[in-house]
Amino acid sequence: MDDEMTLRIANCSGFYGDRLSAAREMVEGGPIDVLTGDWLAELTMLILAGNRLKGRPGYAPTFLRQLEDVLGPCLDKGIKIVTNAGGLDPAGCAQAVHELAGRLGLSPAVAHVTGDDLTGRALDLVNADTGERLDATPLTANAYLGARPIAAALSAGADVVVTGRVTDAALVTGPGIWRYGWGPEDLDPLAGSVVAGHVIECGCQATGGNYAFFQDVPDLAHCGFPIAELRADGSAVITKHPGTGGLVSVGTVTAQLVYELGGPRYLGPDVVARFDTITLADDGPDRVLVSGVRGEPPPGTLKVAVNYLGGYRNTMTLVLTGLDIEAKARVAEEAVWARIPRDAFDSVDVTLTESGLLRITVMDADQRTAGRAFSSAVVETGLASYPGFYGLTPPGNASPYGVYWPVLVPAADVRPQVFLNGKELPPTEPTPTRPAPDAPTARPILDTLAAQPTPDTPDRSVASTSTGTPVAGTSTDRPAVRVPLGRIAGARSGDKGGNANLGVWTTTAARYDWLAAHLTTATLKELLPDLAGHRIDRYELPSIKALNFVVHGLLGRGVAASPRLDPQAKALGEELRARLVDLPADLYD
């Protein structure tokens, strides 16, 4: 493909704390046109709020450390820099960029985007996932803005664009609009860019990081960050710089496509991207072509990430070894609750892991109750409990925790502002949206949108909740072998607020047919009994040979408030892959 026909967008950060050398590696490793970085996980907004309360910056200072290495080279090479590292204070971050540039003897045009901060506004605090209403005061409230403010900043001549809360994919879609001039009616190109943005937003997870088949990935220790070669039609080649570690394959791209995914209709402020229309194809070594993505008009609402202070929490972890593990766990609990009543706390979670760790987490509005009163009660049992008693956590005070609470607002009520070198640019035109149906709560809006098929695209998005009875491809007269599911299927899992997402994919049409028939929600609950009490939505993505499950409420009230040892459900996919299934022998290699 002619370089003039592609926009090479490189990622250098997938989260707040990612590899500091990545920006320099991407700028020096080969030609790129745009350098992007994602700092804002849902948890990060809460971390930045805590920093701000302590008098620290409300943006990600690690961005400035990376920028110091590359600002000069980027200006020399004409590389644009687009980042959401502005967090809760994009104006402050932009000012810090100016100050850094001054120390380096440089004069970049720096833009920043505001308008996402809705803190203090009167919001309808109905949870978009559960329909519950929040009666607490928000600590932060930030709408997920779209890509057009970024495009406007680039069109006005910005060298560096700093945003607050935008969708992760907007960091790719914005440059795409700037380069190719896509209007709101160019739904398919916009949708393609959203998919490309979703693939590269998490850095090395697209190039072999956290990959189910990690043994196929060369030199993972020096994994290269991803690049999306975005084309005018919205298709993109996912690749990485030559000579870097890692792997770009249909498998690694599929793994990232199903990460933190809900249904096949991926709602955003610029477009609804149809993930069930994606086509993946090898395009050479470490190159995968992503094409065919269909788009629909965006909904008339924007998601708002609300965080509030939930109270205080404390966890004590005891180790159980030898014989009679479950009986020892009962004795340990009885000893603790004899010293402090279980009902003294707002909530209690007790988990016994397969490796013999007994984790007791308490949460309460009172810091003293959840603090020393609890941890001291556990320590007091040390010589009057089960044999082999020892713990992994010393007694300590409780720590405050926050809760993520997603709500919806009318898109028309949120007006982004773009500033270039401190001067406000003319406002961008609002994106035409699909009218939202009347609904008493937020959730029916999402459900209704997710239920509307595109006329010429078959809708296999939601599968019925099967009882797990034998179906096509699983008949008893077909020779079978009992093997871990992970021998023929990959998986990746993550968090979506209080819900967990679990994506599972395989490599051939025959294997996918078996997987889609066999892995029902009922079977999933049999394989992972911890999920039995949760509502699970199941979605089919046959174009990429994948299934996606959304496990509602598994993470409680979100990552910061989750009592799970794995609060972001990162390991859920690997737990599933280790479970034994009866696989038709002809599908096993």
Side-chain angles (χ1 to χ4, degrees), residues 254-255 257-264 275 460-464 485 488-493 501-506 511-521 523-524 536-550 576:
T254 300
L257 284 173
V258 298
Y259 180 63
E260 294 185 344
L261 181 65
F275 272 53
R460 300 180 62 195
S461 59
V462 183
S464 60
L485 177 63
I488 62 103
R492 178 166 285 170
S493 55
N501 130 262
L502 171 56
V504 188
W505 78 93
T506 191
R511 285 177 171 178
Y512 174 74
D513 288 343
W514 174 84
L515 185 72
H518 176 78
L519 194 56
T520 63
T521 57
T523 301
L524 180 64
I536 300 178
D537 295 335
R538 177 184 185 270
Y539 302 95
E540 296 184 9
L541 299 165
S543 65
I544 57 173
K545 304 180 184 68
L547 304 175
N548 189 52
F549 298 89
V550 178
L576 175 64

Side-chain angles (χ1 to χ4, degrees), residues 129 194-195 198 256-268 271-278 293-294 296 303 443 446-447 449-452 459-463 496 499-503 535-544 546-552:
D129 293 330
V194 166
V195 170
H198 180 76
Q256 184 55 25
L257 284 173
V258 298
Y259 180 63
E260 294 185 344
L261 181 65
R265 287 179 169 80
Y266 193 86
L267 275 65
V271 68
V272 174
R274 289 287 301 259
F275 272 53
D276 53 354
T277 62
I278 297 170
V293 186
R294 298 291 305 277
E296 299 172 356
K303 185 170 79 169
R443 177 161 185 82
L446 296 179
D447 287 345
L449 287 170
Q452 296 174 350
D459 186 13
R460 300 180 62 195
S461 59
V462 183
K496 295 288 289 183
N499 303 333
N501 130 262
L502 171 56
R535 169 190 156 201
I536 300 178
D537 295 335
R538 177 184 185 270
Y539 302 95
E540 296 184 9
L541 299 165
S543 65
I544 57 173
L547 304 175
N548 189 52
F549 298 89
V550 178
V551 186
H552 292 263

